[in-house]
Amino acid sequence: MNNIVVLLPVLIPFVAGVILIFFKNFSTIQRTISGLAAFILLFSSVFLTYHVYQDGILTLEAGNWSAPFGIIFVADLFAGLMTILSGIVGVACLFFAYKTIHKDREKFYFYPFYFFLLTGVNGAFLTGDIFNLFVFFEVMLISSYILIVMGGTKYQLRESFKYVVINIFASALFLIALAFLYSLTGTLNFAHLAQRIAEAEQTGVFNVVAILLLIVFAMKAALFPLYFWLPNSYYGPPTAIAAIFGGLLTKVGVYAIFRVFTLVFIHNIDFTHSVILFLAGATMFVGILGAVAKFDFRHILSYQIISHVGYMIMGLALFTPYAIAGAIFYIAHDMIVKTSLFLYAGVTQKITGTTDLTKMGGLLRTYPLLGWLFFISAIALAGIPPLSGFFGKFAMIVAGLDQGQYIIVFISLLVGLLTLYSMIRIFIYVFWGEPKIENDKDNPVKIMPLLLPIIPLAALTIAMGVFAEPIFSFSMEIAEQLLDPSQYIESVFKE
């Protein structure tokens, strides 16, 4: 059944980006169009997910070419949820950019490439074949190459070069893996691949392809040991860009790992998911060591991205409904909280002119709302109940204990404690104590316009904790759908 609603989260940002190209010198028009487009995109994602929840998995066949021969888009509950989250992050970062992106940067196609980035992200979530996953990855990455160099500082250009090189290498390896996979199966459609691999007896050779693709997606998601490009790359760009990168880009890699290793490569989970479990533990531990070692606000958050990707992958590796539901809950929590934390870093930098913790202090006296909003997000990231970070983490720990995976459970608990330590350290250095930078208390920096896009994110963090039961029940439905590939396959090939 063809459903144009499936294509809306891809079509809307693409059309908006094209239109915005023609108004690059008109800042007010660009902001008006981009704001409307961002909200329409968010509403269309909610509308799509509602229809998937009511009617089951929806598909759209481009040009009426049926699968596996044509291009197909598939919206299941997982893809729908991810488009909603990308819409939320997109709206928050866009409105923060209105107050922080210099007008000269706006004229260098900031808004068009912002929406092309969202086009690539949502296309990756909704595509029904792995070659078009590659295509949408490239749309996303090309847009990110433009956005990451905005500002043009020497440091930024140097680190951006590393970012570009590692992603070009990952893309080349992706194509090699796709060619190998196509030579073995004769198809690149996700549903068709699942059928062909399930019927094949060449377990060993498919393990090789699975590991190749895992390496590719590990580069995108910043898994150990392929995380080294991320911390400095996310340090240089303007705050709004760093925030959308921190909230979205690595999660596209995580989504790809979930999609491929719950649908396509499930022929030998004792091997593939054991590898993923090791990577999850190593990523959590190495990432948090980096966060603890740093004394720069943005660098700490960048390493926290790496560390908490490990939690998400841990849920997949345990491969039970409860564990995967916990991971999905945690992905939603992390995208919202990590975006807000990067935006807090931007606000404090606006006030103090630095991100160095040793040069900051005492902001709670003059900016109490900022301080306590940050505190809520910080302890949510650490997994303190009753906020959002606790429930997904708790589910994965319980699932790990049920399976006797005591090492990964110990690592996850240790990383949780170190996360709490690193976030409280930020709070103490930035907001507690005596001010280290002179601020006129009678004329403080006006930060309320900067906080307006962040307050809804903090509210969502609290709401996910307060209403954890229905949200986790929804996550369980997603997990059960992922663990039953026949639903996906039947939706693609039904008459």
Side-chain angles (χ1 to χ4, degrees):
M1 180 175 63
N2 287 324
N3 299 279
I4 190 64
V5 67
V6 176
L7 198 58
L8 289 180
V10 180
L11 195 60
I12 290 168
F14 176 75
V15 172
V18 171
I19 294 172
L20 286 165
I21 290 174
F22 298 99
F23 297 99
K24 77 179 188 71
N25 293 320
F26 302 93
S27 177
T28 302
I29 296 176
Q30 284 196 97
R31 292 184 177 196
T32 302
I33 294 173
S34 60
L36 288 172
F39 278 114
I40 293 171
L41 173 59
L42 176 56
F43 293 144
S44 71
S45 299
V46 174
F47 183 70
L48 169 61
T49 307
Y50 173 78
H51 273 276
V52 173
Y53 186 76
Q54 293 293 322
D55 305 328
I57 298 174
L58 302 179
T59 63
L60 184 140
E61 297 167 345
N64 288 326
W65 284 87
S66 60
F69 307 106
I71 295 172
I72 189 166
F73 293 87
V74 184
D76 61 358
L77 290 174
F78 189 30
L81 174 64
M82 295 301 285
T83 60
I84 290 175
L85 293 168
S86 74
I88 293 170
V89 172
V91 168
C93 294
L94 179 69
F95 279 83
F96 192 88
Y98 288 166
K99 300 299 180 181
T100 56
I101 294 291
H102 195 276
K103 289 188 177 181
D104 289 341
R105 291 176 181 170
E106 290 182 326
K107 293 179 181 179
F108 284 99
Y109 302 99
F110 168 74
Y111 295 109
F113 281 103
Y114 189 92
F115 280 95
F116 290 147
L117 179 80
L118 293 175
T119 301
V121 168
N122 287 338
F125 294 151
L126 293 168
T127 185
D129 71 85
I130 198 166
F131 181 78
N132 281 307
L133 178 64
F134 166 79
V135 172
F136 283 115
F137 266 13
E138 294 307 300
V139 172
M140 176 186 73
L141 289 171
I142 290 170
S143 303
S144 72
Y145 298 156
I146 305 298
L147 294 174
I148 204 169
V149 298
M150 283 197 170
T153 65
K154 184 177 179 181
Y155 174 90
Q156 190 177 348
L157 293 174
R158 184 182 72 243
E159 297 304 326
S160 299
F161 178 75
K162 298 176 185 177
Y163 173 82
V164 171
V165 168
I166 190 66
N167 278 289
I168 289 175
F169 175 76
S171 297
L173 187 59
F174 198 173
L175 279 178
I176 292 168
L178 293 185
F180 195 7
L181 185 60
Y182 186 78
S183 70
L184 294 171
T185 63
T187 184
L188 292 174
N189 179 279
F190 279 131
H192 205 204
L193 280 170
Q195 288 182 328
R196 290 286 178 88
I197 292 175
E199 295 166 356
E201 298 180 356
Q202 298 172 307
T203 303
V205 71
F206 284 120
N207 285 343
V208 173
V209 181
I211 295 302
L212 279 176
L213 287 172
L214 180 59
I215 292 170
V216 171
F217 300 144
M219 290 184 190
K220 310 292 187 183
L223 290 179
F224 173 87
L226 303 170
Y227 63 88
F228 54 86
W229 56 270
L230 187 148
N232 289 336
S233 296
Y234 284 17
Y235 178 80
T239 298
I241 296 172
I244 196 168
F245 282 14
L248 279 185
L249 294 197
T250 53
K251 311 313 179 294
V252 179
V254 170
Y255 172 86
I257 294 172
F258 268 76
R259 179 64 68 197
V260 168
F261 288 94
T262 58
L263 176 63
V264 179
F265 295 111
I266 54 174
H267 61 285
N268 189 7
I269 61 173
D270 289 339
F271 170 70
T272 54
H273 290 62
S274 295
V275 173
I276 294 171
L277 188 65
F278 168 77
L279 294 178
T283 302
M284 280 191 280
F285 188 68
V286 173
I288 198 61
L289 288 182
V292 169
K294 294 294 180 178
F295 277 85
D296 182 275
F297 203 151
R298 273 221 208 172
H299 271 137
I300 292 172
L301 296 181
S302 297
Y303 278 101
Q304 292 284 11
I305 292 173
I306 298 164
S307 178
H308 290 263
V309 164
Y311 277 109
M312 303 167 201
I313 301 302
M314 171 187 167
L316 171 64
L318 294 173
F319 210 63
T320 64
Y322 203 63
I324 291 180
I328 291 164
F329 193 106
Y330 200 83
I331 290 170
H333 142 80
D334 190 80
M335 290 176 72
I336 293 168
V337 170
K338 205 63 65 52
T339 301
S340 64
L341 288 171
F342 268 93
L343 297 181
Y344 292 131
V347 177
T348 58
Q349 185 177 12
K350 177 78 172 178
I351 297 169
T352 64
T354 183
T355 57
D356 186 341
L357 298 186
T358 62
K359 298 179 181 178
M360 306 166 80
L363 295 187
L364 193 62
R365 295 185 179 185
T366 311
Y367 307 96
L369 179 60
L370 171 63
W372 293 119
L373 284 174
F374 170 81
F375 184 76
I376 290 170
S377 298
I379 62 173
L381 185 70
I384 303 299
L387 296 173
S388 57
F390 170 76
F391 296 97
K393 193 180 295 184
F394 177 77
M396 289 185 283
I397 289 171
V398 170
L401 292 173
D402 287 344
Q403 293 189 36
Q405 298 287 354
Y406 302 118
I407 295 176
I408 194 71
V409 168
F410 173 76
I411 292 172
S412 65
L413 291 172
L414 176 62
V415 170
L417 288 174
L418 292 175
T419 299
L420 178 62
Y421 165 74
S422 68
M423 300 313 293
I424 292 299
R425 187 178 61 169
I426 293 176
F427 183 75
I428 291 172
Y429 270 90
V430 176
F431 297 100
W432 212 253
E434 297 295 326
K436 294 186 178 180
I437 296 176
E438 290 297 327
N439 290 304
D440 188 349
K441 295 183 179 181
D442 297 324
N443 296 288
V445 177
K446 295 180 179 180
I447 63 166
M448 185 52 68
L450 300 178
L451 291 181
L452 288 178
I454 309 176
I455 291 173
L457 298 179
L460 279 173
T461 301
I462 297 170
M464 285 184 69
V466 174
F467 302 103
E469 184 177 356
I471 296 172
F472 192 83
S473 296
F474 181 65
S475 298
M476 279 295 293
E477 292 190 41
I478 297 175
E480 290 167 359
Q481 198 174 74
L482 288 175
L483 289 173
D484 183 12
S486 63
Q487 294 185 44
Y488 188 100
I489 295 168
E490 289 170 5
S491 71
V492 170
F493 289 113
K494 65 186 176 182
E495 296 297 325

